[in-house]
């Protein structure tokens, strides 16, 4: 039983929340429920011997933070607790976007809510909109403030009005909390540069290379091409500062308890703007320790849990997404392990599924996909995945080498084949991706590109080749069908729903040209969207198919995530087959990654107790589905959602 469960019991113990409710008494109960965990987590990071006073500061801060939470959000928190886990529902479908690339600014976005409603999207992940350095700023991930809106996007008032509007439409908002680092222009960094010792201790700053060199011996590089090493020398401060990402992103020093208190305050202020899901950016990097790779450390998990347990007391309706694009065995830990199971993040990116889908497209085979997801441990019951094809970042080939070896393949060669396939090194490949952070010494690299360009639409349109175009459309739609049916929140990237191609304009922008991830962050094309109803273009085919899949998902309760996805193993190497199941409904999802047809034999359907009868139908076409020659035929790049009667 996790803490969230206890809070639900408390919230519902007095019936449905009413107007006359005493919110403070619920706060007190929540604090009493979490205090032991908070204390244990806190002292595990900041030993009791030296930090009793600091702990008292934290305990004094919590009620203050609660007091300033707006009343309508306090009310929503209690409603959410009594309603159950909204984020596991089949009704949730998300989209990620850059506000300025979508429709100019926050008000422009608010004007387009009808577009999301038409498509069926009701969960938005908007990329950073707070103030940032004018020059390079990693798309806003170098923050000058955690809550001041950059004027290019509008004002805080605009944001508040957007969140209010979203609430009134029962739509959800996710925003980043860049928890690992600030920009070098953040007020703390500025004071540190001026020589203020207090703020130098907010970061990892060193007068010489001794400790940096010791760290470097075991810390990998995140951006080896553009930001090699993990430290940057600041001339004015005359010190080295830890900068794991870019040189202008300074890592926060959480071994300093003041940093935790300040960041908790920032987190709550962000939540108070009406954010429903806080994306904990780069959270794997939160704790640094000499002699380790300083990623995924147990202390980082304790710290995230500590944030979670405090936030739960203040605003229990707000949940956390783990942005941990790490090995599958590590991702699962962000839901909380052992006695902390279910007490860390509620949501995590299913980066394993994402990377494996790209493997299956390039190889037309599902062996690695099937093998690797089968061994992912089951997540805790109150948690869920974000299922996605790609996001604003690169696509890393983050699956385990051992799984590749187990298939009798050479891991190194297999990875270089995938890079070649997607990054225009093979004549026959239709993919138009770019290499990201390629390291010639190790052969490691990542892939960038929009979904449509990676799946061949750009090549097809350039060559005016209807065959390539058709195949690309099938792949685009099939991948979306998987994220919409797999179990979790499907998160589309804005523009992928209309097959938007790569955007090469970043190459002319000095602040962006070194970062090829900008190729996959295209502007929303409203001219194309205006024509969607009028013609049978590739864009309108994609849009309408995805819209149809979304609406079927929402009408089909078994698509809610209750750890009810069963992966089936069948002998055909090109098929992905999984089942969504509940006591009332069963759906078999079958996808063919090959450009030839394949079939599933009747005896096997019988074995999994999924025999087809006259009433069996494919939910997507709403047509009955039957066996031909004792087998279920599945065409090239075709997929089914078969409802069992
Ligand atoms: C996350 C973001 C990425 C950013 C990095 C540093 O990984 O997704 O875009 O570059 O954090 O903040």
């Amino acid at each position: 039983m996790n803490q969230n469960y206890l809070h639900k019991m408390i919230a519902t113990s007095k019936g449905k929340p009413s107007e006359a409710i005493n919110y403070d008494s619920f706060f007190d109960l929540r604090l009493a429920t979490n205090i032991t965990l908070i204390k244990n987590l806190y002292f595990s990071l900041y030993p009791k011997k030296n930090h009793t006073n600091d702990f008292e500061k934290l305990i004094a801060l919590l009620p203050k933070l609660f007091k300033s939470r707006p009343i309508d959000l306090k009310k929503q928190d209690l409603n959410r607790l009594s309603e159950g886990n909204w984020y596991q529902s089949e009704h949730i479908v998300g989209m990620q976007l850059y506000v300025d690339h979508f429709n100019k600014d926050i008000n422009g976005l608010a004007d387009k809510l009808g577009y999301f409603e038409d498509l069926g999207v009701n969960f938005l992940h908007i990329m950073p909109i707070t103030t940032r350095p004018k020059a390079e700023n990693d798309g806003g991930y170098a923050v000058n403030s955690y809550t001041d809106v950059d004027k290019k996007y509008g004002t805080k008032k605009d944001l508040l009005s957007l969140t209010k509007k979203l609430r009134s439409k029962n739509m959800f908002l996710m925003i980043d909390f860049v928890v690992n680092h600030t920009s070098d222009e953040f007020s703390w960094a500025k004071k540190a540069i001026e020589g203020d010792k207090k703020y130098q201790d907010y970061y990892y700053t060193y007068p010489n290379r001794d400790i940096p060199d010791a760290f470097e011996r075991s810390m990998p590089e995140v951006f080896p091409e553009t930001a090699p090493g993990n430290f940057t020398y600041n001339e004015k401060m005359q010190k080295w500062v830890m900068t794991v990402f870019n040189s202008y992103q300074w890592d926060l020093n959480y071994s300093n308890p003041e940093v935790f208190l300040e960041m908790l305050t920032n987190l709550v202020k962000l939540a108070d703007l009406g954010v429903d899901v806080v994306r904990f950016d780069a959270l794997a990097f939160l704790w640094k320790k000499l002699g380790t790779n300083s990623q995924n450390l147990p202390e980082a998990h304790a710290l995230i849990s500590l944030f979670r347990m405090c936030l739960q007391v203040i605003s229990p309706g707000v949940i956390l997404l783990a942005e941990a694009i790490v090995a599958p065995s590590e991702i699962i830990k962000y839901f909380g392990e052992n006695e902390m199971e279910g007490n860390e993040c509620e949501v995590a990116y299913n980066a394993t599924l994402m990377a494996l889908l790209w493997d299956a497209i390039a190889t037309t085979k599902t062996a690695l996909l099937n093998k690797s997801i089968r061994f992912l441990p089951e997540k805790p019951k109150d948690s869920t995945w974000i299922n996605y094809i790609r996001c604003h970042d690169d696509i890393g080939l983050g699956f385990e080498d051992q799984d590749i070896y187990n298939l009798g393949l050479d891991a190194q060669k297999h990875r270089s084949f995938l890079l070649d396939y997607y990054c225009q090194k093979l004549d026959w490949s239709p993919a138009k991706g770019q290499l990201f952070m390629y390291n010639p010494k190790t052969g490691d690299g990542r892939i960038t590109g929009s979904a449509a360009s990676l799946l061949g639409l750009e090549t097809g349109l350039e060559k005016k080749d209807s065959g390539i175009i058709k195949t690309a459309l099938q792949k685009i739609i099939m991948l979306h069908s998987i994220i919409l049916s797999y179990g979790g929140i499907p998160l589309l990237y804005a523009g992928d729903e209309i097959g938007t191609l790569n955007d090469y304009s970043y190459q002319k922008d000095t602040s962006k040209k070194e970062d090829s991830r900008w190729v996959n962050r295209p502007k929303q094309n409203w001219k194309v969207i205006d024509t969607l109803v009028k013609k049978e273009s590739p864009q309108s085919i994609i849009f309408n198919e995805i819209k149809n899949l979304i609406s079927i998902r929402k009408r089909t309760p078994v698509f809610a995530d209750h750890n009810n996805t069963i992966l089936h193993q069948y002998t055909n190497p090109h098929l992905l087959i999984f089942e969504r199941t509940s006591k009332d409904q069963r759906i078999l999802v079958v996808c063919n990654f090959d450009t030839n047809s394949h079939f599933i034999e009747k005896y096997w359907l019988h074995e999994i107790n999924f025999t087809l009868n006259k009433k069996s139908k494919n939910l997507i076409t709403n047509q009955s589905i039957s066996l031909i020659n004792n087998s279920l035929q599945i065409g090239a790049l075709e997929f089914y959602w078969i409802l069992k009667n």
Side-chain angles (χ1 to χ4, degrees):
M1 189 189 298
N2 63 12
Q3 295 304 107
N4 184 35
Y5 187 86
L6 296 176
H7 296 302
K8 277 183 197 149
M9 278 172 58
I10 295 171
T12 46
S13 61
K14 300 184 183 161
K16 236 184 148 8
S18 66
E19 290 304 323
I21 207 150
N22 179 349
Y23 293 103
D24 290 345
S25 71
F26 278 100
F27 167 83
D28 292 341
L29 281 171
R30 289 198 299 269
L31 182 57
T33 314
N34 280 18
I35 189 79
T36 311
L37 277 179
I38 291 179
K39 193 170 96 197
N40 292 345
L41 288 165
Y42 190 87
F43 287 133
S44 78
L45 294 168
Y46 310 111
K48 198 168 181 177
K49 205 163 85 216
N50 310 320
H51 295 292
T52 320
N53 286 347
D54 294 317
F55 181 66
E56 276 163 19
K57 279 197 215 163
L58 170 63
I59 296 307
L61 178 65
L62 296 177
K64 274 199 210 133
L65 293 176
F66 176 68
K67 200 158 177 234
S68 54
R69 183 149 175 86
I71 193 80
D72 49 343
L73 296 181
K74 286 183 180 171
K75 188 167 168 193
Q76 177 176 275
D77 287 336
L78 286 184
N79 283 334
R80 290 225 170 124
L81 285 175
S82 56
E83 279 161 17
N85 299 338
W86 63 269
Y87 49 89
Q88 292 177 316
S89 161
E90 72 278 15
H91 295 290
I92 305 294
V93 176
M95 182 171 274
Q96 173 187 11
L97 55 95
Y98 281 87
V99 171
D100 50 339
H101 287 194
F102 191 73
N103 193 31
K104 195 168 174 276
D105 55 16
I106 297 172
N107 290 335
L109 172 66
D111 288 344
K112 293 289 184 190
L113 295 189
Y115 177 70
F116 301 115
E117 287 174 310
D118 177 39
L119 180 60
V121 162
N122 52 5
F123 173 107
L124 303 182
H125 172 204
I126 63 171
M127 304 301 287
I129 48 170
T130 48
T131 50
R132 76 279 311 273
K134 284 234 156 39
E136 282 182 78
N137 55 49
D138 193 12
Y141 282 97
V143 293
N144 283 2
S145 149
Y146 284 96
T147 46
D148 290 345
V149 174
D150 192 302
K151 34 178 201 319
K152 147 171 169 195
Y153 300 100
T155 61
K156 203 180 268 180
K157 207 165 139 221
D158 297 337
L159 179 58
L160 285 168
S161 122
L162 173 71
T163 55
K164 196 164 171 199
K165 212 164 168 181
L166 290 173
R167 272 201 299 288
S168 74
K169 290 180 175 288
N170 210 12
M171 292 172 85
F172 300 87
L173 181 66
M174 175 156 90
I175 292 198
D176 279 87
F177 182 53
V178 186
V179 59
N180 179 65
H181 43 258
T182 73
S183 78
D184 56 0
E185 291 183 5
F186 196 89
S187 60
W188 304 336
K190 279 190 182 156
K191 288 180 194 153
I193 293 172
E194 292 304 324
D196 190 330
K197 176 83 183 64
K198 171 175 168 183
Y199 290 99
Q200 290 183 352
D201 287 345
Y202 273 39
Y203 302 95
Y204 296 90
T205 54
Y206 304 100
N208 57 42
R209 284 292 309 181
D210 294 350
I211 298 180
D213 284 343
F215 266 116
E216 290 291 11
R217 281 194 274 279
S218 53
M219 276 174 92
E221 294 167 320
V222 178
F223 295 142
E225 267 191 337
T226 49
N230 289 288
F231 291 85
T232 302
Y233 189 69
N234 186 283
E235 288 289 346
K236 192 153 185 213
M237 185 167 65
Q238 297 207 347
K239 281 193 168 175
W240 291 91
V241 57
M242 188 186 279
T243 53
V244 168
F245 288 84
N246 290 296
S247 57
Y248 50 86
Q249 287 166 308
W250 289 20
D251 286 61
L252 287 164
N253 174 9
Y254 279 98
S255 67
N256 177 350
E258 286 295 319
V259 172
F260 173 70
L261 289 185
E262 299 247 33
M263 288 301 281
L264 178 65
T265 307
N266 285 326
L267 170 63
V268 173
K269 282 188 186 158
L270 183 67
D272 286 352
L273 295 173
V275 175
D276 303 291
V277 185
V278 177
R279 179 183 185 270
F280 255 47
D281 178 64
L283 83 180
F285 299 82
L286 283 187
W287 199 269
K288 318 296 195 294
K289 195 152 81 186
L290 277 172
T292 71
N293 66 1
S294 295
Q295 290 181 28
N296 305 308
L297 294 181
E299 292 87 345
H301 285 285
L303 183 64
I304 301 159
S305 265
L306 181 60
F307 272 119
R308 166 73 286 177
M309 292 299 99
C310 293
L311 193 68
Q312 206 167 56
V313 172
I314 300 161
S315 51
V318 177
I319 59 169
L320 303 183
L321 164 71
E323 193 261 329
I325 312 302
V326 295
S329 50
E330 293 294 340
I331 293 182
I332 206 86
K333 296 182 185 165
Y334 288 90
F335 293 123
E337 277 193 298
N338 306 323
E339 70 277 14
M340 290 310 282
E341 186 178 295
N343 289 333
E344 214 172 306
C345 294
E346 286 80 359
V347 195
Y349 280 105
N350 198 346
T352 313
L353 177 68
M354 184 278 295
L356 289 161
L357 290 175
W358 292 102
D359 182 271
I361 287 285
T363 59
T364 75
K365 298 213 173 81
T366 52
L368 190 61
L369 170 62
N370 277 321
K371 263 223 153 57
S372 312
I373 25 183
R374 199 149 50 106
F375 292 120
L376 256 189
E378 191 167 82
K379 57 183 172 51
K381 108 179 197 322
D382 288 313
S383 60
T384 198
W385 294 116
I386 289 262
N387 291 316
Y388 64 122
I389 293 168
R390 60 88 165 201
C391 63
H392 68 294
D393 281 331
D394 47 289
I395 297 170
L397 306 176
F399 24 82
E400 316 270 7
D401 278 354
Q402 193 55 47
D403 290 339
I404 309 179
Y405 286 123
N406 290 347
L407 294 173
L409 298 169
D410 178 307
Q412 182 91 13
K413 282 199 190 130
H414 188 70
R415 286 172 194 282
S416 42
F417 160 72
L418 293 174
L419 292 184
D420 290 349
Y421 177 90
Y422 284 113
C423 303
Q424 309 185 45
K425 297 275 165 57
L426 302 175
D427 291 348
W428 55 269
S429 165
K432 279 236 165 177
Q434 299 195 338
L435 269 177
F436 181 69
M437 296 295 149
Y438 182 67
N439 183 340
K441 280 182 265 167
T442 58
D444 283 345
R446 283 118 75 178
I447 300 158
T448 52
S450 77
S453 290
L454 288 172
L455 293 168
L457 187 58
E458 188 171 333
T459 302
L461 292 172
E462 254 170 34
K463 293 192 173 163
K464 299 199 171 57
D465 183 321
S466 57
I468 301 181
I469 295 176
K470 182 171 170 230
T471 306
L473 297 192
Q474 287 176 307
K475 289 178 182 170
I476 296 169
I477 296 159
M478 184 171 78
L479 290 191
H480 281 94
S481 82
I482 296 171
I483 59 164
L484 282 159
S485 59
Y486 187 75
I489 302 174
L491 189 69
L492 285 69
Y493 190 90
D496 283 355
E497 78 286 9
I498 49 165
T500 309
L501 306 180
N502 284 344
D503 176 0
Y504 298 101
S505 64
Y506 81 98
Q507 289 163 340
K508 295 193 206 92
D509 182 332
T510 43
S511 68
K512 293 180 176 159
K513 67 173 194 250
E514 301 297 339
D515 188 343
S516 74
R517 291 175 299 175
W518 286 104
V519 84
N520 46 253
R521 301 165 179 175
K523 295 222 161 67
Q524 193 72 348
N525 194 334
W526 294 103
K527 281 205 191 103
V528 164
I529 290 166
D530 284 344
T531 65
L532 288 178
V533 276
K534 290 182 221 132
K535 53 176 190 184
E536 266 293 284
S537 59
Q539 291 85 353
S540 71
I541 294 173
I542 300 171
F543 182 85
N544 288 316
E545 292 275 355
I546 292 180
K547 183 172 160 176
N548 182 37
L549 292 172
I550 292 175
S551 88
I552 300 169
R553 170 189 159 95
K554 291 189 170 185
R555 293 197 298 270
T556 315
V558 75
F559 282 137
D561 180 22
H562 299 294
N563 281 351
N564 53 340
T565 304
I566 301 171
L567 191 68
H568 287 300
Q569 303 292 315
Y570 183 59
T571 44
N572 186 302
H574 301 283
L575 303 183
L576 169 69
I577 309 173
F578 59 87
E579 185 180 326
R580 303 302 314 279
T581 179
S582 71
K583 70 177 183 335
D584 307 315
Q585 230 177 11
R586 286 176 71 197
I587 284 178
L588 195 67
V589 176
V590 183
C591 307
N592 177 7
F593 279 79
D594 196 17
T595 44
N596 294 309
S597 326
H598 289 274
F599 57 86
I600 299 175
E601 291 192 58
K602 182 179 176 182
Y603 85 88
W604 186 79
L605 292 171
H606 188 70
E607 256 174 30
I608 61 161
N609 191 19
F610 213 99
T611 38
L612 302 186
N613 58 32
K614 284 206 186 87
K615 284 200 266 158
S616 306
K617 65 172 182 174
N618 178 7
L619 279 185
I620 297 161
T621 52
N622 205 19
Q623 278 169 4
S624 65
I625 191 157
S626 53
L627 300 179
I628 302 173
N629 296 335
N630 274 339
S631 61
L632 173 65
Q633 310 286 326
I634 171 149
L637 295 167
E638 212 177 4
F639 58 93
Y640 297 141
W641 290 354
I642 307 172
L643 179 68
K644 174 112 174 94
N645 287 100

